[in-house]
Amino acid sequence: MSGGKKAIFIVIAFCLCMVLLYGITYLPRKMMDEDPRDVSKIILFDGGTGIELEITDRATIEQLVEDISGVHFAKNKLALGYMGFGYRLTSYNEKGKVINRFIINSEDTVRYKGFFYKAKGETIDYEYLQQLAKAAASR
């Protein structure tokens, strides 16, 4: 292969790899895949009221993690320029380090790293999040 053909081949191969890598980001994925036992607390921030709820109760953590980890999401559209949200969920490990952080807009839509993701199949128990937030607001 001559030098020019080799360079063209390398550029084409590089472009194809980049397209493939970008395409993989559209495969359905879980927003939470950690073991509930690895989560020491969850901060749930209500975007509508501004109330922040710190969840350390093991049963509540397990229910939230298992509910959300059972849902697969596919990348939908760019989230830049959108304001407001339902709930921001941040999970922490025993050392206080953030494990995961994303926004839950509805039972089937989350925002993560600049993109909206739509649920495929199962959905988040959004009513449960609303109940938790309502109980925190009444304290």
Side-chain angles (χ1 to χ4, degrees):
M1 219 188 264
S2 70
K5 287 183 180 180
K6 194 174 190 179
I8 290 172
F9 175 76
I10 290 171
V11 168
I12 290 172
F14 176 77
C15 291
L16 287 174
C17 286
M18 296 311 296
V19 167
L20 178 64
L21 288 173
Y22 183 72
I24 288 172
T25 67
Y26 281 87
L27 293 175
R29 62 182 299 257
K30 293 181 177 184
M31 283 297 127
M32 292 188 94
D33 61 356
E34 54 265 13
D35 187 323
R37 294 174 295 200
D38 295 335
V39 178
S40 65
K41 75 176 176 179
I42 292 176
I43 301 293
L44 188 64
F45 182 83
D46 185 333
T49 64
I51 294 174
E52 183 175 276
L53 171 62
E54 181 175 316
I55 302 165
T56 56
D57 174 65
R58 293 300 326 151
T60 306
I61 289 173
E62 287 178 19
Q63 184 169 349
L64 281 170
V65 172
E66 289 173 5
D67 175 48
I68 296 169
S69 67
V71 182
H72 286 80
F73 294 91
K75 189 184 279 187
N76 191 355
K77 64 181 180 176
L78 198 60
L80 297 176
Y82 287 89
M83 305 270 306
F85 59 89
Y87 300 98
R88 182 179 59 229
L89 186 142
T90 308
S91 59
Y92 296 85
N93 66 13
E94 288 291 334
K95 295 180 180 177
K97 183 179 177 193
V98 172
I99 300 172
N100 209 332
R101 176 181 289 139
F102 55 92
I103 291 170
I104 302 170
N105 283 344
S106 68
E107 65 182 11
D108 69 347
T109 306
V110 298
R111 190 172 8 169
Y112 180 70
K113 294 188 177 181
F115 285 90
F116 286 111
Y117 288 78
K118 282 295 223 184
K120 299 296 179 192
E122 295 289 321
T123 58
I124 294 173
D125 186 355
Y126 200 74
E127 287 182 27
Y128 183 61
L129 297 174
Q130 291 171 322
Q131 290 171 3
L132 290 173
K134 188 176 181 180
S138 66
R139 290 184 202 158

